Amino acid sequence: MKKTKKAKVTRKSSRVVRRKTSRQSSLRSFLPLLIVIGVLGLGYLGFRLFFRPQSVDINQIAGHTGTVVLALTPSSITKDANQTTAITLTINSGTSKATGVQAEITYNPTKCVTPTVTKGDFFTETLMAATVTGGRIKFAYGIHPTAEGKTGTGTVATITTGPKNDDCTLTFVNNMNKNLATVEGVDTNALASASDAVIHLTGNSPTPTPSITPTPTPSVTPTPSPSGLNTPSCPTRYTPAECAAFQTKVTSLQNFVTSLNLCIQAKSLNYCRTKTVIDCLRIKPVASCLNYY
């Protein structure tokens, strides 16, 4: 009989095996870290996708529903030529929980020293960075998506400017799509009024400062959807407890879809998507809210 030769295990082959095993062990130890990094990356991507202020669409105010008052203060002040002063944009939301303000204010570049804008302390987040160009001042500030709306009074922003060779007037653009206020529980523009300001040049006679009073516009009434959603039936293999949990989840999903459809009929798709994520983030982590999309 022929003898079978045994394979020789050399030191070199032993080292190769140990190196491969070590490499595989290292990869397995890094796998949880890679998963965490991936989840965080998806969360950040979702945040950047859904919280761009330019994509939020807020409809016009329905006159009697406005609760937020904006005012430039002092409304009238006198300064020498080329002497600047701080004009404060104040907010009074009363008991309404304000979540954001967008403002667009005009000035005459030939009569006003070029304005500068500083964010106030009423809102924490910059939704649209301040721009000062072409005789217009634009900015938008608001709360963090996971924070609660703010009530009462405070400073939204401070505008520093002054008269050159004539009175310098700061005037809100008379368009309620340009000047917006949002509050919790209200899907329309919640701005009630916005008051202007004038910086008089020393020697000129002060004139009354006008204020914006929005013209009431009819609010959108969404087309009602069929009421009385059917309770889903459970698979026969489910226990009573499993069936109840299943029916609760399906009913919740049906209600969510119905609410979203009603929102889309009355608003824009971007608005409804953003509002849904903001509402979700108040009670759930980012990863869970991204499941809606």
Side-chain angles (χ1 to χ4, degrees), residues 116-138:
T116 59
V117 179
T118 305
K119 187 179 79 66
D121 58 5
F122 191 79
F123 294 116
T124 59
E125 304 300 314
T126 298
L127 305 180
M128 180 173 67
T131 59
V132 179
T133 181
R136 290 185 179 246
I137 305 168
K138 303 177 184 179

Side-chain angles (χ1 to χ4, degrees), residues 254-274:
Q254 289 174 335
N255 291 334
F256 167 75
V257 172
T258 300
S259 299
L260 183 61
N261 288 335
L262 286 174
C263 179
I264 293 173
Q265 291 177 27
K267 315 290 178 186
S268 71
L269 177 60
N270 282 338
Y271 173 84
C272 297
R273 287 161 62 96
T274 303

